Amino acid sequence: MIEKSVYEDYEIDFSDAYSSDDAYYFIFNDERELYLDENKKLPTDINDVNVDFKLYIGKFKGKDVFVVNVSENKTFLNLWEIYEIDKDIYLMATKAVLVRDWYISHQFCGRCGAKTQLDEKDMMLKCPECEQVHYPRIAPAIIVAIRNGDELLMAKHSYHDNIRYALIAGFVEPGESIEEAVHREVGEEVGIKIKNLEYQKSQSWPVPNSLMLAFTAEYESGNIKVDGDEILKAKWFKKDEIIRYGTDISISDWLIQEFIDSVD
Ligand SMILES: [Zn+2]
């Protein structure tokens, strides 16, 4: 995972909705894929695309930066491909795509249905009728590496197309703490109890709008029990049994690598 902060290259500024001649454009299509030019660089103009909307969001690497959405069939790249090409662009794209999603999905007030208006100063859409404000949303989610001696617990989720073993993870539900979410997800997915829960670090994860909060924990008691529906199988892995998939993009990859490095 990228350890650097998005703010090393980015300065939030939502106030100046003007078009500069010297700017970067994060151009997304309807599949949330990003357009890079023929040199695999960020485009510095939008002359040859049909723009749905263009939103000024501040400065990226010293230049004005815009989020743009288009509906057309240029060659776009998904975010995983962007990660392999340019880590700085990927990091900023994980923010830009969430701004795009928010803007597209709050054009009308979810409370009363009126057309919303973009605020002049802050990143919010306001309803002129009922005064509801609509901010970009993130969804906190937990992921936990559970170990028992020199073994790591991983589970097969039925919703993965290619059925990989992965760490236990899930969304935080309304009304519960993050720690409660970890214990609940572990109980629901594999039926065991854990102890020594420790927060490690977090990662903004744009699938679809998660903030991943990573933990480590130790096995306490119980036998593995899966529901056979959401979770097909779960088992303990020694480090040599863990299959790596050649990417280090996610906080999950980081947690697994930390486990491997910690075992003799
Ligand atoms: Zn409203």
Side-chain angles (χ1 to χ4, degrees):
M1 67 180 282
I2 299 171
E3 299 283 348
K4 124 181 201 183
S5 162
V6 70
Y7 297 112
E8 284 186 38
D9 291 331
Y10 172 57
E11 192 183 322
I12 291 180
D13 183 357
F14 204 55
S15 59
D16 292 313
Y18 63 88
S19 180
S20 159
D21 289 337
D22 191 24
Y24 285 126
Y25 295 91
F26 281 79
I27 304 172
F28 293 96
N29 65 9
D30 289 339
E31 274 72 58
R32 306 171 91 234
E33 296 169 327
L34 188 69
Y35 173 65
L36 297 185
D37 68 17
E38 61 273 17
N39 300 314
K40 303 239 162 104
K41 303 281 185 208
L42 267 185
T44 52
D45 68 65
I46 45 172
N47 298 331
D48 58 346
V49 290
N50 293 315
V51 174
D52 287 343
F53 70 80
K54 185 179 82 172
L55 203 57
Y56 176 73
I57 61 166
K59 293 207 183 295
F60 178 64
K61 292 186 183 278
K63 291 189 185 188
D64 290 332
V65 59
F66 293 85
V67 173
V68 179
N69 202 78
V70 300
S71 307
E72 57 184 271
N73 293 320
K74 278 179 168 299
T75 304
F76 285 75
L77 299 162
N78 68 43
L79 291 172
W80 320 136
E81 293 170 312
I82 300 290
Y83 179 80
E84 300 303 330
I85 292 167
D86 189 312
K87 303 283 189 283
D88 288 352
I89 294 176
Y90 168 82
L91 188 61
M92 187 62 207
T94 63
K95 179 181 182 76
V97 75
L98 297 182
V99 172
R100 169 214 173 266
D101 292 351
W102 156 74
Y103 189 74
I104 284 179
S105 58
H106 292 90
Q107 286 297 298
F108 295 91
C109 176
R111 188 170 172 191
C112 78
K115 181 87 176 84
T116 56
Q117 294 171 345
L118 192 58
D119 187 71
E120 286 171 4
K121 287 198 176 122
D122 294 320
M123 203 173 285
M124 67 178 183
L125 286 158
K126 291 181 298 190
C127 177
E129 298 293 328
C130 74
E131 299 185 345
Q132 180 90 10
V133 292
H134 304 275
Y135 291 101
R137 291 240 175 96
I138 53 168
I142 59 86
I143 181 162
V144 57
I146 304 164
R147 64 187 294 164
N148 188 5
D150 62 353
E151 295 183 317
L152 180 69
L153 184 63
M154 296 174 85
K156 261 187 186 175
H157 294 70
S158 58
Y159 55 76
H160 282 183
D161 294 341
N162 48 0
I163 313 260
R164 293 174 180 177
Y165 278 96
L167 298 176
I168 306 300
F171 287 105
V172 179
E173 294 194 345
E176 71 182 355
S177 71
I178 291 163
E179 293 83 357
E180 286 166 351
V182 179
H183 289 287
R184 177 184 51 74
E185 284 288 343
V186 170
E188 286 175 3
E189 295 198 355
V190 290
I192 63 166
K193 295 229 178 290
I194 56 171
K195 62 183 180 182
N196 298 333
L197 184 63
E198 272 187 32
Y199 172 73
Q200 300 297 320
K201 58 172 73 175
S202 66
Q203 179 184 39
S204 175
W205 188 243
V207 190
N209 60 340
S210 307
L211 172 65
M212 299 300 298
L213 303 147
F215 290 83
T216 55
E218 289 175 53
Y219 169 80
E220 183 177 77
S221 63
N223 294 319
I224 291 175
K225 189 163 168 258
V226 299
D227 63 9
D229 182 21
E230 185 187 348
I231 304 292
L232 303 175
K233 268 183 185 175
K235 62 178 195 166
W236 297 100
F237 287 79
K238 293 206 187 302
K239 74 170 183 179
D240 296 339
E241 298 168 331
I242 297 172
I243 299 169
R244 307 307 309 276
Y245 291 95
T247 181
D248 61 351
I249 189 170
S250 71
I251 203 162
S252 170
D253 298 308
W254 178 84
L255 275 171
I256 293 169
Q257 191 60 51
E258 284 287 298
F259 165 77
I260 289 171
D261 293 344
S262 73
V263 179
D264 292 333

